């Protein structure tokens, strides 16, 4: 093609209609666009993000600041001018034996529940990955507990596991002694962990199914052609590809289980003798039952900071591991 033909067939910017030039400008990186388009783009971004940003400020940041301020007082929830106590609530918190017990119960539920939810969720997702009516029905059944409210689940399992509940009725009919699921401290904590996992792992199954469907079939086919076993394929192909999903699941479940209180309230009310009282349940008791809102807010601030630190540490460790694998 001759240069004259190139000039004729490739119209320059001056020959383009205004709409075509505008389209080309928006295809450019933002820092190379004309100043007018960059200003319009920035204004559009603010309009799109503004409502969400305003909601975060009003409903998240401002309450956190107010809670942190009131945690330094002896506010009872009614007094308009509470006394300033400084760090007294925090010193009391770290010397309270009830806090140590509640922290221990919370960590048991969070650690055991997080491991169980992710192992169970990943295993079931591997089994249910694919098509088929039975698999679709099972996915719905496993996710169904998550649809129910926590209080409903707590009362339901409280009735099932009580001394005259369905499980003990079956054991009695089978000439087996009854088991004090909710009266014995060890059995009660195990029952709470079981119900927490039962009500939570359905979400993990769905998230792991989503992650499995993003793995290219060509990678799995290549592993099979190389003679890899199912375990080797899972270990060296599936698991590395699911690493971001694993991180998300671990953080979500851990954050959720660190603030469990509604299931405990409905199942055991913290009993027997406080052996199933979680940290979040203790915050609830300090505020509404004892009227110590300032102290409860100090407990809430510590829980919020600890949860944020744990989540950040998990994400950073995951990123560090991924960089090490890539290197």
């Amino acid at each position: 093609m001759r240069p004259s033909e190139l000039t004729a067939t490739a119209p320059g910017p001056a020959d383009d209609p205004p709409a075509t030039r505008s389209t080309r400008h928006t295809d450019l990186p933002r820092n190379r666009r004309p100043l007018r388009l960059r200003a319009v783009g920035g204004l559009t971004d603010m309009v799109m993000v503004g409502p969400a940003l305003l909601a975060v400020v009003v409903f998240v940041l401002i309450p956190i600041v107010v809670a942190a301020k009131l945690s330094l007082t002896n506010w009872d929830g009614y007094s308009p001018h509470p006394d300033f106590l400084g760090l007294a609530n925090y010193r009391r918190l770290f010397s309270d034996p009830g806090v140590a017990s509640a922290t221990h119960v919370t960590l048991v539920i969070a650690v055991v529940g997080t491991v169980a939810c992710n192992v169970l969720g990943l295993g079931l997702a591997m089994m249910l990955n694919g098509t088929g009516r039975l698999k679709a029905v099972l996915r719905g059944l496993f996710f169904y507990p998550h649809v129910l409210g926590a209080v409903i689940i707590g009362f339901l399992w409280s009735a099932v596991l009580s001394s005259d509940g369905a499980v003990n009725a079956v054991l009695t009919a089978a000439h087996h002694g009854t088991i004090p699921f909710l009266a014995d401290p060890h059995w009660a904590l195990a029952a709470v962990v079981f119900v927490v996992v039962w009500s939570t792992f359905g979400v993990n199954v769905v998230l792991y199914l989503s992650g499995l469907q993003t793995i290219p079939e060509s990678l799995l086919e290549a592993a099979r052609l190389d003679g890899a076993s199912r375990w080797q394929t899972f270990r060296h192909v599936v698991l590395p590809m699911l690493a971001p999903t694993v991180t998300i699941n671990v953080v979500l479940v851990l954050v959720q289980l660190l603030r469990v209180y509604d299931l405990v309230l409905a199942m055991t009310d913290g009993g027997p003798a406080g052996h199933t009282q979680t940290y979040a349940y203790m915050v609830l008791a300090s505020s509404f039952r004892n009227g110590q809102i300032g102290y409860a807010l100090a407990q809430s601030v510590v829980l919020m900071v600890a949860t944020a630190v744990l989540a950040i540490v998990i994400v950073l460790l995951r990123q560090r591991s991924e960089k090490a694998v890539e290197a």
Side-chain angles (χ1 to χ4, degrees):
M1 184 178 291
R2 292 175 298 179
S4 58
E5 294 175 345
L6 285 174
T7 304
T9 56
D15 299 329
D16 290 342
T20 304
R21 289 201 300 270
S22 175
T23 302
R24 289 183 176 179
H25 286 152
T26 56
D27 292 339
L28 293 172
R30 173 163 294 188
N31 57 355
R32 295 180 57 190
R33 295 177 189 173
L35 182 59
R36 179 177 60 83
L37 287 181
R38 277 186 284 174
V40 172
L43 183 60
T44 304
D45 293 344
M46 288 302 298
V47 171
M48 297 293 289
V49 177
L53 190 61
L54 181 64
V56 170
V57 171
V58 172
F59 297 109
V60 178
L61 295 183
I62 292 179
I64 288 176
V65 173
V66 173
K69 178 182 177 183
L70 290 175
S71 69
L72 304 175
T73 69
N74 64 346
W75 192 45
D76 58 0
Y78 301 99
S79 175
H81 303 293
D83 296 329
F84 181 75
L85 301 178
L87 297 177
N89 284 331
Y90 292 93
R91 287 194 293 269
R92 174 187 170 187
L93 187 154
F94 288 108
S95 61
D96 188 346
V99 173
S101 174
T103 303
H104 171 73
V105 172
T106 303
L107 289 177
V108 170
I109 293 175
V111 174
V112 177
T114 300
V115 173
C117 284
N118 281 278
V119 172
L120 195 60
L122 180 56
L124 289 173
M126 295 287 293
M127 292 174 57
L128 301 178
N129 189 28
T131 58
R133 290 184 179 179
L134 180 59
K135 290 182 178 180
V137 172
L138 290 176
R139 290 174 196 166
L141 286 177
F142 290 136
F143 186 75
Y144 182 70
H146 189 72
V147 178
L148 300 175
V151 176
I152 295 175
I153 292 174
F155 283 128
L156 172 66
W157 278 102
S158 176
V160 171
L161 299 175
S162 63
S163 58
D164 55 350
V167 176
N168 277 322
V170 172
L171 292 176
T172 303
H175 304 289
H176 190 285
T178 60
I179 299 177
F181 289 110
L182 303 180
D184 179 81
H186 300 294
W187 276 107
L189 183 56
V192 169
V193 172
F194 168 77
V195 175
V196 166
V197 172
W198 180 83
S199 64
T200 306
F201 81 95
V203 178
N204 301 107
V205 174
V206 173
L207 291 176
Y208 280 123
L209 278 171
S210 302
L212 287 172
Q213 292 173 6
T214 63
I215 300 176
E217 185 63 28
S218 58
L219 289 180
L220 302 176
E221 185 64 26
R224 284 192 288 268
L225 291 175
D226 287 341
S229 63
R230 288 187 177 182
W231 168 249
Q232 290 173 327
T233 303
F234 173 78
R235 172 68 178 84
H236 299 290
V237 178
V238 176
L239 201 55
M241 295 295 291
L242 282 180
T245 309
V246 173
T247 304
I248 293 173
N249 271 315
V250 169
V251 172
L252 286 179
V253 176
L254 185 63
V255 170
Q256 180 179 351
L257 299 191
L258 283 175
R259 50 187 178 86
V260 165
Y261 73 93
D262 36 17
L263 273 173
V264 175
L265 179 67
M267 281 188 67
T268 63
D269 199 15
H275 284 87
T276 59
Q277 179 174 281
T278 61
Y279 192 95
Y281 180 92
M282 181 188 62
V283 173
L284 191 71
S286 298
S287 56
F288 292 103
R289 290 185 180 176
N290 302 329
Q292 300 173 341
I293 305 296
Y295 183 48
L297 289 173
Q299 295 170 334
S300 301
V301 170
V302 171
L303 177 61
M304 180 190 66
V305 173
T307 304
V309 169
L310 277 175
I312 292 172
V313 167
I314 292 173
V315 172
L316 291 178
L317 287 176
R318 182 68 252 176
Q319 291 178 346
R320 183 178 178 183
S321 175
E322 290 176 357
K323 289 180 180 178
V325 171
E326 292 174 356

